[in-house]
RNA sequence: GGGGUGGUAGUUAAGUUGGUUAUAACGCCGGCCUGUCACGCCGGAGGCCGCGGGUUCGAGUCCCGUCCACCCCGCCA
């Protein structure tokens, strides 16, 4: 075994290989010493093969095999033979075993802190500290094999569509809008800082100006915001941009990419084109801008129905400009008082002050704490508006529109999950289109860009940008899968005058705009083609493909919720010499 | 920044109204065992009960603070 060469991988041998002399190398998954003979399950990322050390043929290797422990790295030579009726049907190589004649210990291993098995027993903390061991688990290896394939399909498909892969810089300039930037000090220019890109947005637009029509990149983006189960401080996007296109052109390309991915990774044929829903419809019917349309439980606005009823909370809310929205929970089973109290807890984090409910009794009358406030006429109207039948339960939130939508929109997702209303392996893609161009920032008392400030308004709305910003729709679109936003994009502004008007609308003056984005505005003076694009969130898509709830299962070396790396113990202090070189002095440095 | 859940042996967990020597499983170490595949059987070692205070005759258990992990809200153009 001097050459360190394998003849096969550990998932490869079949009964057609019986009789062959083979060399396998890998990790000792388990060792079973029966006294006379010893079995070793040898593992690599390809699979597991049973090695048997038979005293009749193993010779000196038998004694060595007795010493071997879990996760040692070994090489073995031997002959493939049938396991006959001892075959193991649970592994791909189960029909055969290798009768070893030689064993070489390539690396010993300390006892591992947790077993290398698919069923995760160890805590997240332990797993992250020993990430290189966690990554040995078959489940994670499968995820990263799929992620590799994802990248291959993206590159192949976009290449076939005439896209060029171009790399853009990581050390760039901090921008005022958007998320918090990660910042890198400059040694050469003391007191000045680079920022890491939140996305390659401006570069891809400059590439369009440069004539590199149809650009793409699979690239890292950095945002210094707090984490969630589906959010990491550095994450990966498939970023793409095209010139001389409509939103539909971009959407077609993206549908083609996603269809190829689902076909090749999951053998699922996606029906195209995907469904489309307007932002307004999505908010009205589902309460959120990323609707999960795999199940019903749609929201209904009952403001006009209840504005004259006897329930003061509803009446006052509507009179003060709020809304009363409701969801008929029919089709999700019986709801006890205790269940409904739990739902109230679901809704509270979104600012809802309470969750009213009504049930329809056998005799068609309403039951519930608020039932007495409704006249027979009101009751009839409610029943009709919510399509309430005997046995149904409806829940109500009365609040500002934003709160009512968020509360009930997330409640319906919660109910669907809890009551298992969604069939497994269902993929419902939908385009959400006609987003508003602006958001009103209630704290700053001004409008800000809903998507980003380079998003083009719908042409017919462009003249209302300053006079009636709230009504302006953007040529912006998100792609949503099963209620999760997996990508978004827009047609961009390519006209310098329009771009200036956009900055004006969001309160960025000429001077500031030129200071921050001068290079883009300059570029627009030298022949900018109409262009648009989109970015896909690779990590979130991989979560859905791999069927996991944690983004850490699809990122090889992820960070904790507090943005640390438990394996590297990063971030870490740097020494004084480095600080001096950067001309940085720490103030009130929190002791690590 | 706020809310919630958790932290006890290498790992995962149990630990009663505060009360003698803190349990179990897996793993680890030693012994036996020739068809196992979660091998089996016998024996053994292994503890800063996250950390720091406090209450108490006495704290894994009660109180205060703090650190870490996870989930959620805010935040994420």
């Amino acid at each position: 075994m001097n050459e360190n060469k394998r003849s096969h991988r550990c998932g490869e041998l079949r009964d057609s290989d019986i009789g062959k002399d083979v060399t396998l190398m890998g990790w000792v998954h388990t060792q079973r010493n029966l006294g006379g003979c010893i079995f070793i399950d040898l593992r690599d990322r390809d699979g597991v093969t049973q090695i048997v050390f038979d005293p009749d043929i193993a010779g000196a290797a038998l004694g060595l095999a007795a010493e071997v422990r879990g996760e040692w790295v070994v090489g073995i030579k031997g002959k493939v033979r049938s396991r006959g009726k001892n075959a193991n049907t649970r592994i791909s190589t189960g029909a055969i075993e290798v009768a070893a004649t030689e064993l070489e210990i390539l690396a010993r291993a300390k006892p591992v802190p947790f077993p290398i098995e698919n069923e995760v027993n160890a805590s997240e903390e332990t797993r992250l500290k020993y990430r290189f061991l966690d990554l040995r688990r078959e489940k994670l290896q499968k995820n990263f094999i799929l992620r590799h394939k994802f990248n291959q399909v993206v590159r192949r498909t976009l290449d076939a569509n005439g896209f060029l892969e171009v790399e853009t810089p990581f050390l760039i300039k901090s921008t005022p809008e958007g998320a918090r930037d990660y910042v890198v000090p400059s040694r050469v220019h003391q007191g000045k800082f680079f920022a890491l890109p939140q996305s390659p947005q401006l570069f891809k637009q400059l590439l369009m100006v440069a004539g590199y029509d149809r650009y793409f990149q699979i690239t890292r983006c950095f945002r210094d915001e707090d984490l969630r189960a589906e959010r990491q401080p550095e994450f990966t996007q498939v970023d793409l941009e095209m010139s001389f296109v409509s939103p539909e052109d971009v959407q077609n390309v993206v549908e083609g990419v996603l269809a190829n991915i689902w076909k090749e990774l999951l053998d699922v044929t996606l029906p195209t084109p995907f469904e489309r829903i307007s932002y307004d419809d999505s908010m009205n019917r589902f309460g959120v801008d990323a609707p999960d349309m795999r199940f019903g439980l749609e929201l209904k606005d009952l403001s006009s129905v209840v504005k004259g009823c006897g329930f003061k909370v509803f009446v006052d809310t509507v009179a003060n400009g709020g809304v009363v929205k409701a969801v008929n929970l029919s089709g999700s089973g019986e709801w006890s008082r205790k269940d409904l109290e739990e739902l109230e807890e679901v809704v509270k984090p979104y600012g809802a002050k309470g969750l009213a409910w009504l049930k329809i009794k056998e005799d068609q009358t309403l039951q519930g704490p608020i039932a007495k406030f409704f006249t027979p006429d009101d009751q009839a109207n409610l029943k009709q508006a919510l399509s309430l039948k005997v046995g149904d339960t409806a829940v109500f939130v009365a609040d500002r529109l934003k709160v009512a939508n968020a509360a009930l929109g997330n409640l319906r997702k919660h109910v669907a999950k809890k009551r298992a209303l969604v069939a497994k392996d269902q993929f419902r893609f939908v385009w959400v289109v006609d987003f508003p161009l602006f958001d009103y920032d209630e704290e700053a008392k001004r409008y800000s860009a809903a998507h980003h400030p380079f998003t083009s308004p719908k042409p017919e709305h462009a003249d209302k940008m300053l006079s009636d910003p709230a009504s302006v729709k953007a040529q912006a679109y998100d792609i949503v899968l099963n209620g999760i936003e997996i990508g978004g994009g827009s047609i961009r502004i390519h006209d310098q005058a329009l771009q200036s008007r956009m900055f004006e609308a969001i309160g960025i003056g000429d001077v500031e705009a030129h200071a921050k984005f001068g290079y883009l505005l300059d570029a627009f003076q030298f022949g900018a083609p109409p262009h648009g694009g989109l970015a896909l969130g690779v990590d979130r898509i991989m979560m859905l493909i791999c069927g996991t709830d944690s983004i850490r299962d699809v990122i090889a070396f992820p960070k904790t919720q507090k943005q640390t790396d438990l394996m590297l113990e990063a971030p870490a202090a740097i020494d004084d010499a480095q600080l001096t070189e950067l001309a940085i002095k720490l103030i009130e440095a929190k002791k690590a």
Side-chain angles (χ1 to χ4, degrees):
Chain A
M1 242 176 298
N2 297 332
E3 306 111 315
N4 262 15
K5 282 261 162 62
R6 292 176 285 189
S7 65
H8 295 80
R9 288 179 165 274
C10 293
E12 211 175 334
L13 295 169
R14 296 291 183 274
D15 46 12
S16 56
D17 297 303
I18 287 167
K20 284 184 187 163
D21 290 309
V22 298
T23 305
L24 296 182
M25 293 179 182
W27 285 261
V28 174
H29 194 57
T30 58
Q31 182 246 40
R32 294 179 292 280
N33 187 342
L34 274 66
C37 72
I38 296 171
F39 296 97
I40 285 176
D41 289 343
L42 195 65
R43 185 196 72 231
D44 62 19
R45 73 163 153 87
D46 197 46
V48 170
T49 302
Q50 172 164 293
I51 315 299
V52 58
F53 294 82
D54 185 330
D56 297 335
I57 50 179
L62 184 69
L64 213 48
E67 285 176 41
V68 161
R69 294 293 177 269
E71 300 308 314
W72 288 23
V73 183
V74 301
I76 67 101
K77 265 189 175 172
K79 198 180 278 289
V80 181
R81 70 188 193 192
S82 171
R83 289 176 66 173
K85 52 179 181 286
N86 285 325
N88 182 346
T89 52
R90 288 184 306 170
I91 57 175
S92 62
T93 60
I96 55 91
E97 64 187 359
V98 176
T101 52
E102 281 180 53
L103 169 67
E104 186 176 347
I105 293 166
L106 301 168
R108 290 163 194 261
K110 294 204 293 185
V112 286
F114 54 88
I116 311 301
E117 296 167 348
N118 270 340
E119 301 72 37
V120 195
N121 263 329
S123 70
E124 195 80 31
E125 205 170 343
T126 312
R127 292 170 53 204
L128 287 172
K129 185 171 174 192
Y130 298 96
R131 186 61 172 175
F132 46 89
L133 296 179
D134 202 25
L135 288 168
R136 282 186 192 166
R137 294 167 45 233
E138 187 190 6
K139 239 176 206 168
L140 286 191
Q141 294 194 336
K142 286 223 156 77
N143 290 353
F144 292 103
I145 291 165
L146 282 172
R147 189 165 175 144
H148 160 79
K149 286 184 182 167
F150 176 99
N151 286 345
Q152 306 314 309
V153 176
V154 167
R155 289 206 163 90
R156 199 181 328 125
T157 307
L158 289 177
D159 177 62
N161 279 282
F163 282 77
L164 295 175
E165 186 169 3
V166 181
E167 293 169 85
T168 57
F170 279 172
L171 297 174
I172 65 165
K173 188 170 157 184
S174 189
T175 51
E177 301 260 322
R180 220 173 272 117
D181 284 320
Y182 275 100
V183 141
V184 179
S186 165
R187 174 185 59 84
V188 175
H189 303 279
Q190 295 188 337
K192 293 188 175 172
F193 297 84
F194 294 104
L196 302 179
Q198 295 175 28
S199 78
Q201 181 62 34
L202 294 162
F203 292 101
K204 65 177 174 178
Q205 294 194 243
L206 292 168
L207 285 169
M208 293 305 105
V209 176
Y212 287 67
D213 184 7
R214 301 209 164 191
Y215 135 95
F216 86 100
Q217 188 179 190
I218 302 174
T219 191
R220 205 66 56 82
C221 303
F222 306 87
R223 294 181 191 174
D224 184 5
E225 298 292 349
D226 290 327
L227 272 55
R228 287 287 187 282
E230 56 179 29
R231 220 195 278 167
Q232 281 270 310
E234 46 180 314
F235 60 97
T236 305
Q237 288 188 340
V238 175
D239 190 51
L240 61 87
E241 196 76 5
M242 308 160 75
S243 292
F244 313 111
V245 288
S246 66
E248 290 72 27
D249 294 324
V250 177
Q251 290 161 8
N252 285 343
V253 165
V254 171
E255 287 177 359
V257 170
L258 290 170
N260 282 352
I261 288 166
W262 254 253
K263 186 69 203 164
E264 295 199 30
L265 273 63
L266 299 171
D267 197 25
V268 168
T269 304
L270 297 179
T272 55
F274 298 160
E275 203 167 349
R276 277 153 176 82
I277 184 174
S278 75
Y279 170 86
D280 286 344
D281 276 353
S282 181
M283 294 305 289
N284 288 338
R285 291 170 56 196
F286 304 103
V288 292
D289 63 2
D292 191 337
M293 295 171 67
R294 291 173 299 172
F295 56 95
L297 305 182
E298 293 192 18
L299 281 59
K300 298 276 191 251
D301 189 334
L302 301 176
S303 304
S304 60
V305 178
V306 300
K307 69 182 174 203
C309 78
F311 188 37
K312 196 166 161 19
V313 172
F314 284 4
V315 175
D316 288 354
T317 301
V318 176
N320 292 326
V323 298
V324 176
K325 292 190 82 163
V327 175
N328 180 352
L329 297 177
S330 75
S332 57
E334 290 292 310
W335 292 88
S336 70
R337 187 174 292 252
K338 190 167 161 252
D339 293 334
L340 292 162
E341 277 166 15
E342 262 180 55
L343 288 189
E344 186 157 13
E345 295 309 309
V346 171
V347 124
K348 276 184 174 167
Y350 300 97
K353 290 175 278 295
L355 188 72
W357 56 270
L358 287 172
K359 282 184 185 177
I360 311 301
K361 291 198 289 188
E362 287 295 338
D363 63 0
Q364 293 284 342
T365 59
L366 298 183
Q367 178 194 2
I370 64 169
K372 59 180 179 245
F373 297 111
F374 296 94
T375 65
D377 273 359
D378 290 337
Q379 298 200 5
N381 289 339
L382 272 182
K383 278 191 258 183
Q384 198 199 348
L386 285 167
S387 312
L388 286 166
K389 300 180 302 294
V390 169
D392 283 355
T393 300
V395 290
F396 299 76
V397 170
D399 217 303
R400 305 198 320 274
L401 177 63
K402 215 173 164 180
V403 171
N405 275 340
L408 290 173
N410 286 290
L411 175 132
R412 72 180 277 284
K413 286 185 183 181
H414 172 88
V415 168
K417 194 170 182 185
K418 180 135 191 179
R419 299 267 161 134
L421 301 184
V422 178
K424 236 188 149 10
D425 299 328
Q426 198 185 335
F427 297 104
R428 186 83 176 259
F429 288 85
V430 56
W431 287 103
V432 180
V433 300
D434 296 344
F435 272 77
L437 187 63
F438 302 106
D439 272 340
Y440 188 67
D441 183 334
E442 284 169 28
E443 268 182 38
K445 304 266 185 239
R446 66 174 180 89
Y447 285 91
S448 61
H451 185 49
H452 57 55
F454 317 105
T455 302
S456 169
K458 299 197 107 178
E460 63 271 28
H461 291 181
D463 53 2
K464 299 190 294 186
M465 286 168 66
L466 296 174
S467 57
D468 186 12
S471 75
V472 177
K473 298 295 186 207
Q475 297 192 71
Y477 34 84
D478 278 359
I479 176 77
V480 172
L481 169 55
N482 294 353
I484 294 170
E485 179 196 330
I486 59 166
S490 62
I491 300 299
R492 330 296 183 184
I493 297 169
H494 70 282
D495 174 76
Q496 197 209 355
L498 187 59
Q499 185 65 65
S500 292
R501 206 176 335 149
M502 180 70 192
F503 284 136
E504 189 184 346
I506 59 175
I508 296 181
D510 259 1
V511 176
E512 188 183 354
H514 276 272
K516 303 292 186 187
F517 304 111
Y519 51 97
L520 184 73
L521 298 173
D522 280 351
F524 283 175
Q525 298 182 55
F526 292 98
H531 60 283
L534 173 139
L536 292 171
V538 175
D539 313 285
R540 287 186 186 175
I541 294 174
M542 289 315 303
M543 284 173 68
L544 290 155
I545 287 175
C546 297
T548 176
D549 289 328
S550 170
I551 197 168
R552 294 179 297 281
D553 287 346
V554 297
I555 294 177
F557 298 99
K559 296 199 171 36
T560 68
Q561 191 164 51
K562 284 239 174 78
Q563 306 195 355
T564 66
D565 184 314
L566 295 179
M567 187 182 63
L568 302 177
E569 298 183 310
I574 58 174
D575 61 42
D576 287 344
Q578 280 176 292
L579 286 172
T580 304
E581 198 167 48
L582 296 165
I584 288 177
K585 192 173 172 184
L586 299 179
I587 54 165
E588 291 174 34
K590 284 180 190 163
K591 202 100 171 61

